[in-house]
Amino acid sequence: MKTKIYSIICACMVIFGLTACNDDHVSNLQLDGNCMVEAITLDDYQGTIDLASRTIVVRLPEVYETSHMKVTSLVLSDGATCNISMGDVLNMDAAKVMTVKNGDVAIDWTLSVLHDEARITQFVINDIYQGTIDQDAKTITIYVPGTVDITNLVPTITYSANATITPSSGVAQDFSQPVTYKVTNNSAESTYTVTVIAIDKAKALFVGSPQNMNDLDPEAKAACNWMLSNVPGTLYASFADLEAGTIDLSECKVIWWHYHVDGGVDGHDVFAAKATDALAAKNQLRAFYENGGAMFLTRYATNLPSFIGVTGDDEWTTPNNCWGQNEDGAELCGGPWSFRIFDGQNAHPLWQNLIAGDNPQEVYCTDAGYHITNSTAQYHIGTDWGGYDNHAAWEARTGGKILGVGGDGAVVAWEYPAHDGKGGIICIGSGCYDWYSYTFEPGYTEKFHKNIEIITQNAFNHLMK
């Protein structure tokens, strides 16, 4: 027993001797080295060093190639070394980690670049009227009703981070003449010309539930922005505006309603429960249609014709096969999605000048890397269910003309032709007709998705003639 105890004591003394300090009671580890990056430049652009976050940001002009940037100067603490050296050529498309060592101490720094962007990204008048921005021409155009006093309007402006703007956001301006706004951000500078156009009588309207188009869901907002940018003399109006009669429709030729609901609107009763704002204005919408006004109804708005007398007294002619996903969980397209032009309808104005794919009978609408909710409001055709044994039966009951069908023959695009003084209506209920992807996969390239804009422009050209 004594021998075992003695052996244990000896072993402990050996371990203590191996780990003990030297005669000066100082550790052999060199922990007093400083690991500072005191200065660095890339292509002679100076980095800004933040000690608290250990980050270094190199500010660059708005348009500058960053894939081959040379370290033109580098100053470290005395005695320190780094995994990045002066003269190195770096791909700064992504941030780099600089590991600085001094003795037995090592500290990581994050090196990144930031372009000096000077852009206006949103311009809203009186918290209601959204500006259409042309970034190439540096122009902003806002259409407002003729009743608005354009000599005293308050803009709310969103612009690039770290930038300044003159005149300031939130300051009232007289927009009876174009107003210039200057955005400055370090080396970047842009001047935008803002023009406000008062419209007494709109040529076309985009309608929705919110009072302000900025409060539309992303899908409808993307569609509305396109219309305001591409169809002259157009405005956004709420259903409450229509119901109250505050919008002059005397020269309005087309009303567009693009109605998105996360999870879908499945059938007559669900539409009636969810679209209460629209149905509150159904008398005004019906009068507009019966007096020759045309409509462009997309996604779940395709339910509306049955409620305003377009299909006679039969309200139950709403789409019978509907579904949809949530925008933030939209489905990834592995390739182009499409639907088929109905037999004999290739010459219809809606299908002209499309970007063609392998099959000229198909309307290609998306590209690989796009996320789509597949929001669908279509008519199932067949004797199995739905009340429409065949396409002829559908046309006879609804009074519509089939323009496009899905892979199983479901009616996904159709027209109620103008007749007896009543306006024409084009409806698109295909899930392929989609304006907004909440994200895009790396390498995404838009090709067939441009057909959405082409189809929409064709619809306006056809309905406004």
Side-chain angles (χ1 to χ4, degrees):
M1 187 65 177
K2 291 179 179 180
T3 301
K4 291 181 179 180
I5 293 173
Y6 177 75
S7 299
I8 292 170
I9 292 173
C10 289
C12 290
M13 292 178 66
V14 171
I15 294 171
F16 178 78
L18 291 173
T19 59
C21 295
N22 59 23
D23 292 340
D24 296 326
H25 305 291
V26 176
S27 169
N28 289 323
L29 294 174
Q30 299 179 30
L31 301 176
D32 57 348
N34 200 340
C35 298
M36 281 284 296
V37 177
E38 296 182 357
I40 186 172
T41 59
L42 302 178
D43 290 355
D44 294 325
Y45 288 97
Q46 184 72 43
T48 300
I49 299 169
D50 188 316
L51 297 178
S53 62
R54 290 205 292 272
T55 59
I56 306 167
V57 178
V58 179
R59 299 286 293 271
L60 301 173
E62 184 170 2
V63 179
Y64 195 88
E65 175 59 51
T66 61
S67 62
H68 294 83
M69 297 195 71
K70 186 176 182 179
V71 182
T72 46
S73 70
L74 176 62
V75 180
L76 306 174
S77 302
D78 288 342
T81 61
C82 182
N83 63 319
I84 291 176
S85 304
M86 192 168 72
D88 287 353
V89 176
L90 308 177
N91 181 353
M92 292 306 301
D93 290 347
K96 295 288 182 288
V97 175
M98 299 179 63
T99 301
V100 181
K101 294 183 179 180
N102 202 339
D104 293 304
V105 178
I107 292 179
D108 287 340
W109 297 78
T110 300
L111 175 66
S112 63
V113 297
L114 177 65
H115 290 277
D116 293 332
E117 184 180 85
R119 292 192 174 197
I120 294 175
T121 55
Q122 188 176 76
F123 199 101
V124 181
I125 292 289
N126 289 4
D127 294 325
I128 298 177
Y129 307 107
Q130 180 93 12
T132 300
I133 303 174
D134 185 330
Q135 293 291 1
D136 294 328
K138 294 293 185 288
T139 60
I140 302 173
T141 306
I142 307 106
Y143 293 98
V144 301
T147 55
V148 174
D149 178 10
I150 64 173
T151 65
N152 185 34
L153 300 176
V154 179
T156 301
I157 311 168
T158 305
Y159 48 92
S160 301
N162 305 311
T164 59
I165 189 167
T166 306
S168 299
S169 175
V171 176
Q173 297 290 332
D174 179 355
F175 284 97
S176 57
Q177 297 295 325
V179 178
T180 58
Y181 282 80
K182 184 176 181 179
V183 187
T184 304
N185 189 1
N186 200 29
S187 66
E189 183 177 291
S190 297
T191 299
Y192 289 78
T193 301
V194 181
T195 303
V196 176
I197 301 173
I199 301 176
D200 289 323
K201 300 175 181 181
K203 302 297 184 184
L205 292 178
F206 189 102
V207 296
S209 292
Q211 189 64 37
N212 181 351
M213 65 160 286
N214 210 36
D215 294 329
L216 289 167
D217 62 89
E219 170 71 24
K221 186 176 178 181
C224 182
N225 276 326
W226 179 90
M227 188 194 79
L228 295 179
S229 301
N230 292 277
V231 183
T234 57
L235 290 174
Y236 171 80
S238 69
F239 289 115
D241 291 330
L242 295 181
E243 185 183 5
T246 57
I247 298 293
D248 189 335
L249 298 177
S250 61
E251 292 188 12
C252 183
K253 294 182 177 295
V254 181
I255 289 178
W256 182 15
W257 184 22
H258 184 62
Y259 182 34
H260 170 80
V261 176
D262 270 356
V265 176
D266 188 10
H268 174 281
D269 289 347
V270 177
F271 178 82
K274 289 183 177 291
T276 53
D277 291 335
L279 295 182
K282 73 176 184 178
N283 290 338
Q284 289 74 22
L285 291 166
R286 181 167 186 161
F288 174 78
Y289 159 70
E290 291 182 344
N291 288 321
M295 293 185 181
F296 184 41
L297 303 173
T298 49
R299 198 157 286 195
Y300 305 117
T302 55
N303 285 271
L304 181 64
S306 299
F307 287 83
I308 60 172
V310 178
T311 59
D313 295 328
D314 189 357
E315 280 193 8
W316 295 93
T317 51
T318 53
N320 62 4
N321 189 204
C322 310
W323 66 85
Q325 300 172 13
N326 292 346
E327 199 69 73
D328 60 3
E331 184 175 351
L332 173 63
C333 296
W337 285 28
S338 66
F339 58 91
R340 181 166 55 86
I341 298 173
F342 190 56
D343 297 340
Q345 293 298 334
N346 292 70
H348 192 278
L350 202 62
W351 310 134
Q352 302 312 301
N353 303 313
L354 298 180
I355 298 170
D358 294 336
N359 187 343
Q361 199 67 20
E362 294 290 312
V363 179
Y364 297 92
C365 298
T366 68
D367 301 287
Y370 186 93
H371 289 258
I372 190 168
T373 61
N374 194 19
S375 297
T376 300
Q378 66 180 20
Y379 290 89
H380 176 80
I381 301 297
T383 57
D384 50 346
W385 61 278
Y388 305 102
D389 290 353
N390 50 51
H391 291 124
W394 182 88
E395 289 188 336
R397 180 177 173 187
T398 65
K401 180 170 67 176
I402 301 172
L403 303 180
V405 293
D408 62 351
V411 178
V412 299
W414 61 99
E415 180 179 17
Y416 300 104
H419 66 96
D420 301 325
K422 299 176 181 179
I425 299 176
I426 286 181
C427 296
I428 301 178
S430 170
C432 298
Y433 183 85
D434 192 281
W435 280 92
Y436 174 80
S437 176
Y438 80 97
T439 188
F440 298 94
E441 296 302 300
Y444 172 79
T445 301
E446 185 177 67
K447 179 183 177 182
F448 293 119
H449 188 249
K450 293 179 182 178
N451 279 335
I452 300 301
E453 296 183 9
I454 296 171
I455 291 168
T456 305
Q457 187 66 69
N458 287 343
F460 273 94
N461 292 344
H462 177 58
L463 294 170
M464 296 182 77
K465 63 184 180 180

